[in-house]
Amino acid sequence: MTAAPDLVAPVVAFRAWRVVDGDLLSPYIPCRWDGPVMHAECYPANRALLFGRGWLAEPHDPPHPSCRCGIYAHHRPGTQPYYGEFQWVDGIVAVWGRIEAYRDGLRAEHARVCALGCRPGAEAIARRLGVDLVEPDALEAAAARYGAPLPASLVP
């Protein structure tokens, strides 16, 4: 076994949130981002999602390689299209702690919102969280201000 790499710069990635009543919510689970920093937990309620498929039965530290828990983010902005009745906003996050890397994205133990894309309602949220507001088509270029992407050698 080799030692984990020491990533000197913060790892940046991209994610989207639902905007509901002026708050950021995770896309698929009822998780509200009350502040700019989020710490992942594998909640017992998650185990009921998808009839328990993909979730470990016992509590553990997220993200776990055999579970779906963790804070999801993508290597590029706009990777995941979202549709439906909610307003959506894309943004930049810095992630740290345990990280599970995948071809299109990652799951992390901790994340901090660095910037939100300009969308209706995003300005008030960005101001409340104390984060930057960036034009949606400039998110990828702006990410360099907050850190570096996961090194290509760590992406499967």
Side-chain angles (χ1 to χ4, degrees):
M1 180 188 282
T2 60
D6 185 10
L7 303 174
V8 177
V11 174
V12 293
F14 306 90
R15 63 168 288 127
W17 295 267
R18 292 182 291 149
V19 177
V20 179
D21 296 329
D23 290 320
L24 297 180
L25 277 76
S26 292
Y28 302 112
I29 62 172
C31 181
R32 184 178 314 279
W33 289 55
D34 291 323
V37 176
M38 177 62 75
H39 305 286
E41 290 186 44
C42 191
Y43 294 106
N46 290 351
R47 293 178 187 85
L49 297 173
L50 300 173
F51 305 103
R53 288 188 301 271
W55 299 90
L56 292 179
E58 298 298 322
H60 53 274
D61 292 329
H64 190 284
S66 299
C67 191
R68 292 182 175 207
C69 60
I71 300 166
Y72 284 72
H74 295 278
H75 300 305
R76 292 194 175 100
T79 300
Q80 175 67 46
Y82 297 98
Y83 306 100
E85 70 277 14
F86 294 104
Q87 178 72 28
W88 295 91
V89 64
D90 287 311
I92 302 166
V93 292
V95 301
W96 70 95
R98 283 181 300 282
I99 296 173
E100 288 284 321
Y102 302 95
R103 186 174 55 88
D104 294 331
L106 55 84
R107 293 182 295 131
E109 180 179 11
H110 309 284
R112 178 177 48 83
V113 181
C114 298
L116 296 176
C118 291
R119 295 285 305 251
E123 184 175 356
I125 296 170
R127 189 172 41 252
R128 188 178 77 242
L129 297 179
V131 303
D132 295 331
L133 200 59
V134 176
E135 289 298 323
D137 59 353
L139 283 169
E140 193 161 19
R145 289 185 273 188
Y146 310 104
L150 197 62
S153 62
L154 299 178
V155 177

